[in-house]
Amino acid sequence: GTPSGERMPRPRHTTSPRLPRPPAVVVARLLTAGSARAPVRPVDPHREEVPEMSLFTITVPAHTTAVQYRHGAFDTVLESGRHPLRSGTTRVLVERRETLLPLALQDILSADGLSVRVSATLRLSVADPVAFVEKSADPYAVVYLAAQVALREGLAGLSAEEIGQRGAPLPVAAMTEAVGAVAATVGLAVLEIVVKDIVLPPDLRAAQLEVVTARARGLARLEAARAETAALRTLANGAALLDKHPALARLRLVQSAPYGSQVVVKVKDA
């Protein structure tokens, strides 16, 4: 309270005019061509990827090609490097390095009516990125089917023995040409076809094993006969020598007597 005991009047509440709020300011950080970027992920050739880009440029990684579309229609093909970014465009990355396409064991009917199992591997690369993206949803499956058909048609005219023979001339060039014609329609190029494994029927493998075994046994018998002949020839030469020299025969008899034997020598009167 105050010294005089009077109460102080309460101050009146005055309402100050509200000041207008400042307008909201949105600050955006623009990525320029020289700004830092996140590391590029590995490119999967079987999946659509998005190239590294900023607000003004796009960078296509090495060993890849970008097929660019504008408003849903094909626009251009971008090689590896930095390119200006256009509005309304999308891109699909295509792997340009060589790849291997293995074929599982195929049951092939040979010319002599036997079932032979053969496997192969194809070496491929992308020759036309636009056809690779647009012509087929799975270009490698198209080439796989063509390789199966070419492998069966190419080996059907050979016998099982010709197919299984080591170093046999197989029609690989004709198969490569046939598969390459189909691969070109989906943007792929067949560089090489390698026939890997050849599995003959069990009965034929057993027969070939018997032939090899019989050949080895014959060689063993021939070698034993040669050794026996050489031994008999040596014995005949020794017998002829002892026949010409009787004293040498008696001396050899004494030498061959076992230890502790009693030798009786009879000397004839002159």
Side-chain angles (χ1 to χ4, degrees), residues 67-100:
V67 181
Q68 181 169 283
Y69 294 87
R70 181 177 175 83
H71 301 303
F74 171 73
D75 181 33
T76 185
V77 175
L78 304 178
E79 300 297 334
S80 301
R82 183 175 295 176
H83 305 272
L85 181 62
R86 301 177 60 188
S87 61
T89 58
T90 58
R91 284 145 296 277
V92 179
L93 288 187
V94 178
E95 176 68 51
R96 299 302 298 269
R97 290 178 294 185
E98 296 181 4
T99 183
L100 298 178

Side-chain angles (χ1 to χ4, degrees), residues 36-59:
R37 298 182 178 92
V40 181
R41 296 176 298 170
V43 179
D44 186 356
H46 302 283
R47 188 182 62 181
E48 184 175 309
E49 292 284 346
V50 179
E52 179 185 2
M53 67 179 67
S54 69
L55 189 61
F56 305 108
T57 62
I58 175 175
T59 301

